[in-house]
Amino acid sequence: MRLSRATLSRVAPAARPLALPRLTGVVHLGIGAFHRAHQAVYTERAMAATGDDRWGICGVSQRSTDVADRLRPQDCLYGVRAGDEVRVVGSVREVLVPGDDLAARLAAPQTAVVTLTVTEKAYRRDTMPWSGPGAVPGAVPGRPVPGAAPGRPVPGVVGRLVAGLRARAAADAGPLTVVSCDNLPDNGATLARLVAELCEPPLLRWVEENVTFPATMVDRIVPATTPADLDDVAARLGVTDLGAVVTEPFTQWVIEDRFAGDRPAWERAGALLVDDVRPYERMKLRLLNGSHSAIAYLSGAAYVSEAVADPAFAAFLRRLMDDDLTPTLGGLDGFDLPAYKESLLARFANPGLRHRVAQIAADGSQKLPQRLLDPARDRLAAGREPRWIALAVAGWMRHVTTCRELDDPLAARLRGDETASFSSTAAATVRRLLAVEEIFGADLRDDRVFRDLVTDCLERLAADDLPTVLHALDADSATH
């Protein structure tokens, strides 16, 4: 029997939703597993804490009908298993798919907040009607660009958002807060810039007066749900649940307190509202996500917990965090950073969280800059050698040139001439990949210290197994 409102009575009372919304006040773009385990949970808890039931979520699938096919027959109910606890979440009220009228939902006066989890690559300019580092030839923010005129659809999530803002302005439906929850530095400002580039002047003026784009930092590990996970949740709930997600008990959400109008009381659900998100954002991107990328490209393990179970590899992660990443963090006065790093290692080591390394390795060209390359720049600027970062970058270079199937939007450029890639020297591989400026910029491409460190690490990885490389680099670092 399938989970739904009609079958909810079969679920144990302790596992039933904390709140069932009466209205829809939030639109979420990218209703994947992460949103369902994170923002949707906070929103439900906020409604339960306040009794304000106006904050139901309209989830939007950007590319397929899979989530809608799973949730619609269940009245959008689904279970979240966090550790040993499973509970049905009721904050999602509807799911839209490509072709549905998203603009009308964004223009509805009761919609007050838009949230996004669409992954880093959805913010690439070449997913919209331009390519390269700038806009289409001659285009500037605030002037019409191809596809931005009323009645002409613009591909990509930002284009759909702008079309909705245009409809909202035309309907005079009031202010709107747009909250990016993706792993990007200054994610709110980044989204605001991309929106501005697609707005004609009257719409841009309306956006500047009525829409805010607060920055956020989100943290919860949410692996892809497996058939075994679905079977386990069904056994615990007593009904079949094809929309279930699995996550860890830990969760964190830090939000810039800059809202255009009404909103859910997320702080009542444990979110932290602050004036400046950036210190928390850098901490999470570098310590958690940077360590995840190092695991993905160096460990050779199938799951994160398997990698961290190796004491030598766990020791490497500590050196990466302590020596290369922590010195680049600031503005965290009063925050217990050592305890946070210990909690990360404990979370990584959780064998109950089957977090696939391949899931983390995908789209590395979009993740590496903010996770590892920006802290490398900071260390180089301080006159230090980011040796452990260089090892992780070398692992990525080995991955993109040797893995059987490369899941990356820049795969063709990273592969280059595959026959030459497999036979080229470490130095030649490093020179070729550092020349991809979308990833490394001109500064790291031309930085001799960084280039030599990565080349040395790639040569070591080609000559020895990882434990030998880690031991040798540890000895080298002790002499510097």
Side-chain angles (χ1 to χ4, degrees):
M1 187 170 291
R2 191 87 174 261
L3 174 64
S4 69
R5 291 203 178 203
T7 62
L8 198 54
S9 61
R10 294 177 175 269
V11 176
R16 294 175 192 169
L18 298 176
L20 291 172
R22 176 177 50 90
L23 299 173
T24 298
V26 178
V27 172
H28 181 81
L29 307 181
I31 184 167
F34 183 82
H35 169 71
R36 303 203 306 276
H38 191 273
Q39 297 94 31
V41 173
Y42 279 90
T43 301
E44 185 191 57
R45 290 176 179 170
M47 287 189 288
T50 61
D52 185 352
D53 61 1
R54 297 173 298 145
W55 301 110
I57 297 168
C58 169
V60 182
S61 291
Q62 297 298 309
R63 295 184 299 274
S64 77
T65 64
D66 179 65
V67 175
D69 293 342
R70 292 172 181 270
L71 293 187
R72 283 174 174 174
Q74 301 183 178
D75 299 320
C76 294
L77 300 174
Y78 63 93
V80 174
R81 191 189 79 199
D84 292 328
E85 179 184 275
V86 178
R87 189 175 58 75
V88 176
V89 173
S91 53
V92 178
R93 296 190 77 226
E94 61 180 322
V95 179
L96 304 185
V97 298
D100 287 344
D101 193 352
L102 171 61
R105 175 56 71 193
L106 292 176
Q110 68 195 43
T111 300
V113 178
V114 176
T115 53
L116 300 86
T117 50
V118 292
T119 77
E120 295 91 338
K121 66 182 176 183
Y123 295 82
R124 283 165 49 89
R125 283 182 167 84
D126 60 9
T127 64
M128 289 171 274
W130 58 66
S131 61
V136 291
V140 296
R143 296 182 185 174
V145 298
R152 296 181 60 188
V154 178
V157 65
V158 180
R160 297 188 75 191
L161 175 60
V162 169
L165 293 175
R166 186 177 293 112
R168 189 176 185 87
D172 193 22
L176 188 71
T177 302
V178 182
V179 185
S180 171
C181 300
D182 287 297
N183 289 324
L184 296 168
D186 296 322
N187 51 15
T190 297
L191 180 57
R193 285 195 299 271
L194 293 174
V195 165
E197 291 181 7
L198 285 182
C199 290
E200 60 274 14
L203 178 59
L204 181 61
R205 287 192 294 271
W206 183 88
V207 168
E208 290 172 343
E209 293 172 359
N210 293 277
V211 183
T212 60
F213 298 85
T216 68
M217 182 274 272
V218 296
D219 189 358
R220 197 170 207 185
I221 296 172
V222 185
T225 306
T226 66
D229 293 328
L230 296 180
D231 290 343
D232 178 72
V233 171
R236 292 168 184 260
L237 291 179
V239 290
T240 299
D241 176 8
L242 299 186
V245 293
V246 175
T247 187
E248 60 177 337
F250 180 92
T251 183
Q252 188 176 32
W253 194 6
V254 184
I255 312 170
E256 182 185 7
D257 192 1
R258 192 164 64 90
F259 292 87
D262 205 1
R263 61 171 177 81
W266 284 317
E267 70 277 16
R268 296 286 299 275
L272 181 63
L273 271 62
V274 300
D275 293 332
D276 188 359
V277 170
R278 288 172 295 180
Y280 299 91
E281 174 189 84
R282 283 192 297 269
M283 176 188 72
K284 188 259 183 171
L285 281 171
R286 298 181 181 193
L287 294 179
L288 188 153
N289 299 119
S291 295
H292 262 170
S293 289
I295 292 169
Y297 302 125
L298 288 172
S299 71
Y303 297 97
V304 170
S305 58
E306 293 175 355
V308 182
D310 178 355
F313 198 85
F316 154 68
L317 290 177
R318 289 180 186 275
R319 295 298 301 270
L320 173 67
M321 288 194 283
D322 291 345
D323 295 357
D324 281 356
L325 300 177
T326 299
T328 70
L329 304 176
L332 292 165
D333 296 342
F335 187 86
D336 192 342
L337 201 53
Y340 177 75
K341 288 186 286 187
E342 289 301 316
S343 76
L344 287 181
L345 292 170
R347 293 163 64 193
F348 293 161
N350 179 3
L353 203 64
R354 306 283 283 174
H355 198 178
R356 294 175 59 246
V357 166
Q359 181 183 354
I360 300 167
D363 302 328
S365 67
Q366 310 303 299
K367 299 173 179 176
L368 220 62
Q370 55 267 24
R371 296 182 179 197
L372 293 170
L373 302 184
D374 284 344
R377 290 183 172 93
D378 291 345
R379 295 299 282 155
L380 291 165
R384 302 294 184 179
E385 293 187 350
R387 185 172 299 272
W388 305 107
I389 292 176
L391 178 62
V393 172
W396 171 80
M397 290 185 173
R398 180 181 61 176
H399 170 78
V400 300
T401 54
T402 63
C403 70
R404 182 172 298 176
E405 294 182 5
L406 180 58
D407 185 358
D408 195 289
L410 298 183
R413 292 188 61 193
L414 298 176
R415 285 292 205 190
D417 181 345
E418 293 193 26
T419 302
S421 296
F422 292 144
S423 61
S424 64
T425 65
T429 297
V430 171
R431 283 196 302 272
R432 181 177 69 81
L433 291 174
L434 286 182
V436 182
E437 288 197 23
E438 296 99 312
I439 304 173
F440 293 97
D443 58 335
L444 290 180
R445 179 199 65 197
D446 296 335
D447 191 292
R448 182 173 179 177
V449 172
F450 185 72
R451 183 175 66 247
D452 289 349
L453 282 171
V454 176
T455 302
D456 176 61
C457 289
L458 191 56
E459 289 173 344
R460 291 176 188 259
L461 289 174
D464 293 305
D465 59 21
L466 185 63
T468 301
V469 173
L470 293 176
H471 179 76
L473 288 176
D474 193 46
D476 286 351
S477 65
T479 64
H480 282 69

